[in-house]
Amino acid sequence: MKIISIIPARMGSSRFPGKPMADILGMPMIGHVYKRVKLNPVLDEVYVATCDKEIYDYITSIGGKAIMTSDCHERCSDRCAEAMLKIEKQENKKVDIIIFAEWKTVAFIFYKYKRGKSGLQWSRIPSNRWPS
């Protein structure tokens, strides 16, 4: 079973433009989130999904994995879905579980997905059934 985390990030937030690259104690916020998520031993891989080259370049400069996505997504789940499909194609492996990392607390939300007639369908996995 392949379990990955995808951290959606974009510079164009209406409430806090540039938030992912905001400096916190000498490191951009996205760097803190990425490093914390990488500490989870359940994960096979951690990626940042972004439409911004600045974020992509930063993540790759610290040895992380980033996936460029469209700048047209309205929801982070759409950005993560596009990234997941690109990751599957790039790695030539099916992803079984995807985790969205939540910005404020770096909490984890586990999702299982399936391909349906209307595209990808996400279902949240209750916390008592998370992989360990």
Side-chain angles (χ1 to χ4, degrees):
M1 180 181 310
K2 186 161 178 86
I3 301 173
I4 66 168
S5 178
I6 298 178
I7 304 164
R10 67 185 185 99
M11 296 294 282
S13 167
S14 57
R15 292 181 303 214
F16 187 172
K19 178 168 104 174
M21 296 303 290
D23 186 270
I24 300 173
L25 300 172
M27 182 187 300
M29 181 177 164
I30 189 67
H32 286 282
V33 173
Y34 183 84
K35 286 176 184 273
R36 296 284 186 266
V37 173
K38 284 282 292 177
L39 294 173
N40 189 319
V42 167
L43 301 174
D44 294 310
E45 299 287 346
V46 176
Y47 293 86
V48 172
T50 186
C51 58
D52 296 294
K53 184 136 174 50
E54 182 180 3
I55 295 170
Y56 179 92
D57 289 345
Y58 172 72
I59 292 299
T60 58
S61 78
I62 62 169
K65 294 184 176 186
I67 299 289
M68 288 298 293
T69 59
S70 168
D71 63 355
C72 298
H73 296 301
E74 293 182 18
R75 291 174 293 283
C76 72
S77 59
D78 296 335
R79 184 173 315 286
C80 289
E82 179 189 351
M84 184 201 62
L85 293 172
K86 286 183 173 186
I87 292 164
E88 285 185 331
K89 188 174 184 178
Q90 175 182 306
E91 302 285 328
N92 200 24
K93 292 181 185 171
K94 183 179 176 290
V95 173
D96 298 300
I97 297 177
I98 187 172
I99 302 164
F100 299 168
E102 208 283 326
W103 283 99
K104 296 177 187 129
T105 59
V106 193
F108 297 102
I109 304 169
F110 284 70
Y111 288 87
K112 208 171 186 78
Y113 77 92
K114 64 179 180 178
R115 288 179 171 85
K117 292 179 182 175
S118 61
L120 293 176
Q121 299 169 342
W122 302 95
S123 59
R124 191 170 182 162
I125 301 172
S127 59
N128 64 341
R129 297 191 55 212
W130 286 3
S132 56

